[in-house]
Amino acid sequence: MSQTEFKPVLLGRIGKPDSQSLASYRADGGYEALAKSLKMANTEVIDLVKNSGLRGRGGAGFPTGLKWTFLPKDVQGPIYLCINGDESEPGTFNNRVLIEEDPHQVLEGIVISSFATRATTAYFYLRYEYGRCYRALQKAVDEMYANNLLGKNILGSGYDLDIYLHRGACAYICGEETGLIESLEGKRAWPRIKPPFPAIEGAFRRPTVVNNVETMACIPHIINHGSEWFQSMGVPKDPNNPRDAGSYGPKLYCISGHVNKPGLVELPMGITARDLIDQHGGGVWKGRKAKAVIPGGLSMGFMTNAELDTPLDFNGPGRVGCLGLGTAAVVVIDDHTSMIDVLYNSCRFFEHESCGQCTPCREGTAWSTKILERIREGKGKLSDIDLLMEIANSIGTIPGTTICGLADGAAWPIKTAINKFRGEFEEYIKSGQRSQSLALAGAH
Amino acid sequence: MSELSENAKQIIAEHLPRYPSKQAVTLPALHIVQQERRCVSNKAMEEIAELLELSPAQINDTASFYGFFRTEDNPLGQKRIWVCRSLPCMLRGGEELLAALCEKYHIAPGETTADGKLTIELAECLGACDGAPCILLEDELHLRCSLEDVERIANEPNAPTKKA
């Protein structure tokens, strides 16, 4: 399918008048997928999602149907579905738009997924900052209860489900699935040591699935159109890599930073960063060139201008040294911007958001920020560059020194910035210049 | 006298049946108290603890983890504005906006104006990078904000929000 003939799926109803209401959602065929699912066996729904090749849209790209099969088979007592609406990765806003503009699409996916996983309670964990989303969701959930789409005996099927909205309190770490569970339980959001994985012991020590909002929005379409339809979009499995699960389906790409038209677009997975920026982001602003581009949220690190023909599928960014596709949030940095200021901003973010549980992350994010502060003040030493790399190589789940991946996300911008822009760092330090943004004292 | 209002107690009671543990109502309880009182006092934490059958230390442990909740010696002003400083906003003037606001109101991020009307906070990514620089007024996002926009928003809490 070429991009020109692609018709948006997940954003198909966005911009229509009254797109948030149950009446308009139903007029567009809404909840037909739910009615169809409830007539199937729950295992048939799981198989359909598994066969579609849908991979989680939250950042890690784990196959959704496979995740569902990790739940124990003969479990007595409750199973929980948690929806991760803590979208906080810098550059990422796709879930906000989905929820604000078409809450029923997401909620239908949640009911179907709950039915598939035999969950009878779903907790929708939503970051506090998304107040408008919260109100849109609450209104939609109320409409669902009033129309037998939630509560007891949904659509006469005998299946019962409650959905509760749970608001966060402004902490990035709640997007990590076990941090989310701890936060839901009323505790500090310290990620848990795994195993046990949430499927075995998650929320309230019960079997739990945690899924992303965009992942949920894909589910009704897979039920309606089938797994082959879903696999007709995107990038097939790499035949030379038996572990590749493919990059199928439509994907929301966020475009922000130095482009003429920041915004959200939906495309079959696999567009290159260059085409995304030029054809959908209106090109780099002010007639400038891109110096660096983040392919999928800040944690993924940087691509250079020469790497922009990389396809944004689950495998592409990794081939050029980035951590992965992440949230497919593309941030463009123009050639007038200092990579020292950009990396400082990144380190400061992760220092602010480190939960403090693991020493390598707490100290590594803080010291990398301090080193960059020193460089920005014109007092850096050339040895600071290797020191930053040493920190980056020592923190995270990849060297095996932390419980969760936050520190990997802190390390990747450092590694890619220094590997790909080392000359700029050396020149900056040698010149002894001070960052122009230090004048913005109030902001630091 | 009780620190928690009847409304707050009722909201906490309404949340209890939603979760298999009372502790899970900690965040909803902290939210409703801070919304009403602009802070969560020690006495309020004791009362929440009693309702949730926890120790006050457990409530404090959670409340203090999230920079969001204010102690009684540092309450919020009547309005709380967060200005995003993360990378997508920084690239489009977020830090300049935060610095200009702090200069305008003579306060540093995290502080409240002397008249108690406005608290300015620095925020990490607010999730509105399509509208950078963006701010958050209480829990409503406002996109593509200039200093003048923020001043107007600070003066009229019900001003229509700019949409994406």
Side-chain angles (χ1 to χ4, degrees):
Chain A
M1 194 180 293
S2 83
Q3 279 149 21
T4 44
E5 56 188 75
F6 178 74
K7 202 166 154 263
V9 177
L10 306 174
L11 299 182
R13 303 186 62 254
I14 303 241
K16 287 191 174 185
D18 200 28
S19 65
Q20 299 93 343
S21 79
L22 177 60
S24 88
Y25 187 62
R26 277 200 147 148
D28 289 332
Y31 291 108
E32 282 171 16
L34 174 62
K36 191 174 164 188
S37 303
L38 292 173
K39 290 187 184 109
M40 296 161 70
N42 78 304
T43 49
E44 289 178 297
V45 179
I46 295 178
D47 286 343
L48 190 54
V49 172
K50 218 168 143 182
N51 294 339
S52 75
L54 171 65
R55 293 171 65 178
R57 283 4 189 180
F62 195 83
T64 305
L66 186 62
K67 195 185 224 184
W68 294 353
T69 63
F70 292 161
L71 290 164
K73 293 283 172 287
D74 301 309
V75 59
Q76 300 294 313
I79 293 171
Y80 297 112
L81 178 68
C82 293
I83 304 308
N84 188 343
D86 195 57
E87 178 169 79
S88 309
E89 179 67 35
T92 313
F93 49 87
N94 49 324
N95 291 342
R96 186 197 93 229
V97 176
L98 279 178
I99 300 169
E100 272 183 10
E101 304 290 331
D102 199 356
H104 280 289
Q105 176 181 229
V106 177
L107 288 164
E108 183 175 14
I110 294 171
V111 183
I112 296 168
S113 304
S114 300
F115 172 73
T117 54
R118 293 168 295 144
T120 50
T121 306
Y123 294 107
F124 198 128
Y125 191 102
L126 186 67
R127 71 181 302 200
Y128 182 82
E129 294 90 328
Y130 285 2
R132 209 177 296 156
C133 290
Y134 172 72
R135 286 177 277 282
L137 276 175
Q138 191 59 62
K139 194 164 168 262
V141 165
D142 292 346
E143 284 180 303
M144 290 170 74
Y145 274 107
N147 288 277
N148 192 219
L149 295 161
L150 274 180
K152 298 279 178 211
N153 191 19
I154 294 170
L155 300 177
S157 65
Y159 174 63
D160 305 338
L161 176 71
D162 288 305
I163 297 180
Y164 299 118
L165 309 184
H166 192 97
R167 302 184 78 175
C170 310
Y172 173 78
I173 194 62
C174 296
E176 198 280 339
E177 64 177 3
T178 58
L180 182 149
I181 288 170
E182 288 283 308
S183 178
L184 173 70
E185 291 183 357
K187 301 167 193 163
R188 53 172 74 189
W190 275 8
R192 293 178 181 172
I193 293 172
K194 288 157 278 207
F197 288 91
I200 307 299
E201 190 179 306
F204 311 107
R205 307 199 66 178
R206 300 293 310 166
T208 301
V209 169
V210 184
N211 280 150
N212 171 264
V213 171
E214 186 185 330
T215 311
M216 291 294 97
C218 292
I219 300 289
H221 303 285
I222 293 172
I223 302 294
N224 278 332
H225 305 296
S227 54
E228 281 174 23
W229 164 83
F230 197 78
Q231 296 213 344
S232 72
M233 289 168 272
V235 180
K237 289 178 190 174
D238 177 354
N240 299 318
N241 179 2
R243 293 178 63 192
D244 180 26
S247 302
Y248 298 110
K251 180 76 195 86
L252 300 181
Y253 290 97
C254 304
I255 313 173
S256 68
H258 292 152
V259 289
N260 286 312
K261 260 178 51 195
L264 182 64
V265 291
E266 180 180 359
L267 293 163
M269 209 179 272
I271 186 171
T272 66
R274 195 180 304 281
D275 285 349
L276 188 71
I277 295 163
D278 292 343
Q279 293 168 19
H280 302 277
V284 182
W285 75 349
K286 301 180 184 177
R288 294 177 186 170
K289 284 200 173 106
K291 179 196 264 187
V293 170
I294 294 169
L298 186 57
S299 319
M300 296 301 114
F302 306 99
M303 305 195 304
T304 64
N305 191 307
E307 292 166 345
L308 292 184
D309 294 311
T310 304
L312 298 176
D313 59 26
F314 283 113
N315 299 326
R319 288 193 205 110
V320 292
C322 291
L323 191 52
L325 178 66
T327 57
V330 171
V331 185
V332 177
I333 298 156
D334 74 17
D335 56 359
H336 286 48
T337 308
S338 158
M339 284 308 286
I340 288 82
D341 287 342
V342 168
L343 187 59
Y344 170 68
N345 185 289
S346 172
C347 290
R348 188 182 65 184
F349 173 83
F350 290 104
E351 179 198 19
H352 191 261
E353 299 301 337
S354 172
C355 78
Q357 185 177 197
C358 307
T359 306
C361 175
R362 183 186 65 242
E363 298 300 316
T365 55
W367 281 102
S368 60
T369 307
K370 285 193 184 82
I371 294 165
L372 277 152
E373 266 169 16
R374 176 162 77 199
I375 296 173
R376 273 162 44 99
E377 282 165 4
K379 296 173 189 161
K381 298 174 249 180
L382 280 174
S383 59
D384 284 344
I385 298 175
D386 288 334
L387 189 55
L388 282 167
M389 277 304 262
E390 191 185 334
I391 294 173
N393 285 324
S394 309
I395 62 174
T397 58
I398 291 171
T401 59
T402 60
I403 291 171
C404 87
L406 186 144
D408 300 281
W412 243 259
I414 299 175
K415 289 187 201 184
T416 48
I418 291 178
N419 280 337
K420 300 179 186 188
F421 300 94
R422 191 176 184 105
E424 186 179 338
F425 280 81
E426 287 173 352
E427 272 172 44
Y428 191 99
I429 291 169
K430 279 186 206 154
S431 73
Q433 62 185 292
R434 281 169 53 84
S435 166
Q436 288 171 359
S437 76
L438 285 172
L440 305 169
H444 298 291
Chain B
M1 211 185 104
S2 171
E3 181 82 0
L4 302 191
S5 69
E6 287 308 310
N7 176 52
K9 284 183 197 165
Q10 194 193 326
I11 287 174
I12 293 169
E14 282 169 8
H15 275 77
L16 288 172
R18 299 182 182 184
Y19 307 93
S21 86
K22 290 190 174 180
Q23 187 170 13
V25 184
T26 303
L27 275 186
L30 290 168
H31 275 306
I32 182 63
V33 171
Q34 176 152 299
Q35 209 175 314
E36 290 185 356
R37 302 273 175 152
R38 308 306 283 165
C39 69
V40 184
S41 66
N42 287 344
K43 183 142 189 299
M45 284 197 236
E46 285 172 24
E47 291 179 24
I48 293 170
E50 203 175 322
L51 290 172
L52 303 185
E53 295 173 14
L54 299 166
S55 77
Q58 285 172 292
I59 303 295
N60 189 40
D61 185 84
T62 299
S64 59
F65 178 81
Y66 302 91
F68 182 83
F69 299 107
R70 291 298 187 103
T71 51
E72 61 203 82
D73 55 0
N74 186 25
L76 291 172
Q78 289 165 22
K79 285 172 214 147
R80 186 187 216 182
I81 286 181
W82 305 75
V83 182
C84 183
R85 65 170 189 177
S86 287
L87 188 62
C89 276
M90 179 200 105
L91 295 173
R92 298 181 80 104
E95 292 188 329
E96 284 82 355
L97 178 63
L98 180 57
L101 267 172
C102 290
E103 194 179 338
K104 167 92 192 168
Y105 290 98
H106 307 292
I107 48 175
E111 293 179 352
T112 301
T113 51
D115 60 8
K117 283 192 175 155
L118 182 65
T119 301
I120 295 174
E121 305 261 19
L122 56 85
E124 296 297 358
C125 189
L126 291 170
C129 321
D130 48 342
C134 65
I135 66 139
L136 184 74
L137 169 66
E138 298 301 326
D139 70 355
E140 280 273 342
L141 289 164
H142 296 254
L143 312 190
R144 288 179 292 279
C145 282
S146 64
L147 178 63
E148 293 69 36
D149 289 331
V150 183
E151 283 182 78
R152 181 178 47 76
I153 291 161
N155 291 325
E156 310 165 40
N158 299 321
T161 54
K162 280 191 176 179
K163 288 208 68 180

